[in-house]
Amino acid sequence: DTGVSQDPRHKITKRGQNVTFRCDPISEHNRLYWYRQTLGQGPEFLTYFQNEAQLEKSRLLSDRFSAERPKGSFSTLEIQRTEQGDSAMYLCASSLGLTNEKLFFGSGTQLSVL
Amino acid sequence: GNSVTQMEGPVTLSEEAFLTINCTYTATGYPSLFWYVQYPGEGLQLLLKATKADDKGSNKGFEATYRKETTSFHLEKGSVQVSDSAVYFCALTNAGGTSYGKLTFGQGTILTVHP
């Protein structure tokens, strides 16, 4: 169990640029989640995958956001035409997909949009 | 919709002091309740959970009891240590269906314990 890894740890970009983050879940976990956390707030749910299928998307996920999980392994979260309001910590979590089980979180990608 | 409210922090205590972090929630049905902890530089980790009314979750000396009548899930520890310094998040999910990993978090409470 090597844990959930996210890359990069930090990303600084200019407004209007596109950015992509990667998450590698724990290998046997079939569920993968994306959350967003702004300063002083708790994480907010964005979307989740069961294997390669994206099953739910939050209203927070505007049409500038897209997430994929090809082949049910790693996942990417892309933000197009970034805005300053997108500055946040983006967290990835994974689980086996059982009721009431714990989520394993990565350390996150800190995005700063200038 | 679901919501979680935590006591405002930060909380600063001396080692061996008693800790309470209040958490109340609003949810439909019968949610499952969790406390997650985030140590400096690390990802969130599950601390404890309770899945039905009157259940008590416990781990590492921390406890929380699911109180449906008061919609609360307060976190307690009888004697804190410096190593407990972290950010604590109360969270819930609606049990059943397919959305059980979709957590609603409180805003977090920063705990600092001094020697």
Side-chain angles (χ1 to χ4, degrees):
Chain A
D1 178 355
T2 58
V4 177
S5 62
Q6 293 189 243
D7 184 68
R9 291 295 302 272
H10 305 275
K11 179 69 177 179
I12 300 173
T13 191
K14 293 182 179 179
R15 189 175 51 188
Q17 298 294 304
N18 299 341
V19 294
T20 300
F21 312 138
R22 177 180 170 124
C23 171
D24 287 272
I26 294 171
S27 58
E28 65 268 27
H29 286 183
N30 53 38
R31 282 221 169 184
L32 186 147
Y33 305 83
W34 285 99
Y35 284 80
R36 183 175 70 184
Q37 185 177 15
T38 53
L39 196 62
Q41 300 299 315
E44 296 174 293
F45 170 82
L46 293 178
T47 187
Y48 83 94
F49 294 83
Q50 174 84 24
N51 298 311
E52 66 274 11
Q54 188 173 16
L55 296 186
E56 188 170 345
K57 290 192 277 189
S58 162
R59 59 178 174 80
L60 296 175
L61 219 63
S62 75
D63 57 5
R64 297 184 297 107
F65 288 70
S66 62
E68 293 182 343
R69 192 183 183 197
K71 302 179 183 178
S73 55
F74 70 91
S75 176
T76 57
L77 178 68
E78 180 183 15
I79 309 174
Q80 296 182 327
R81 306 181 303 281
T82 53
E83 302 172 355
Q84 287 186 326
D86 297 331
S87 296
M89 176 76 82
Y90 289 85
L91 301 172
C92 177
S94 70
S95 74
L96 286 168
L98 305 175
T99 304
N100 293 321
E101 61 164 345
K102 67 180 178 181
L103 270 59
F104 291 80
F105 281 85
S107 297
T109 295
Q110 180 66 55
L111 173 66
S112 298
V113 181
L114 306 179
Chain B
N2 296 337
S3 67
V4 177
T5 302
Q6 290 182 231
M7 67 182 289
E8 296 200 7
V11 175
T12 302
L13 296 173
S14 297
E15 207 164 25
E16 300 184 3
F18 183 85
L19 169 72
T20 299
I21 301 178
N22 289 339
C23 170
T24 58
Y25 67 89
T26 301
T28 56
Y30 302 93
S32 295
L33 304 175
F34 306 85
W35 278 99
Y36 277 80
V37 60
Q38 187 171 32
Y39 298 103
E42 299 183 16
L44 284 131
Q45 305 172 25
L46 179 66
L47 180 60
L48 54 83
K49 69 180 182 183
T51 58
K52 61 182 187 295
D54 300 324
D55 268 2
K56 178 184 285 187
S58 61
N59 186 26
K60 300 181 181 180
F62 291 89
E63 293 183 338
T65 300
Y66 188 144
R67 299 289 188 200
K68 187 168 175 60
E69 65 275 13
T70 55
T71 61
S72 65
F73 193 55
H74 305 320
L75 182 68
E76 297 182 335
K77 186 174 186 182
S79 177
V80 293
Q81 305 300 311
V82 172
S83 58
D84 294 326
S85 298
V87 185
Y88 292 80
F89 293 92
C90 186
L92 69 81
T93 187
N94 285 108
T98 59
S99 298
Y100 35 82
K102 179 184 169 184
L103 296 169
T104 299
F105 285 89
Q107 74 270 31
T109 300
I110 299 172
L111 171 66
T112 303
V113 180
H114 293 297

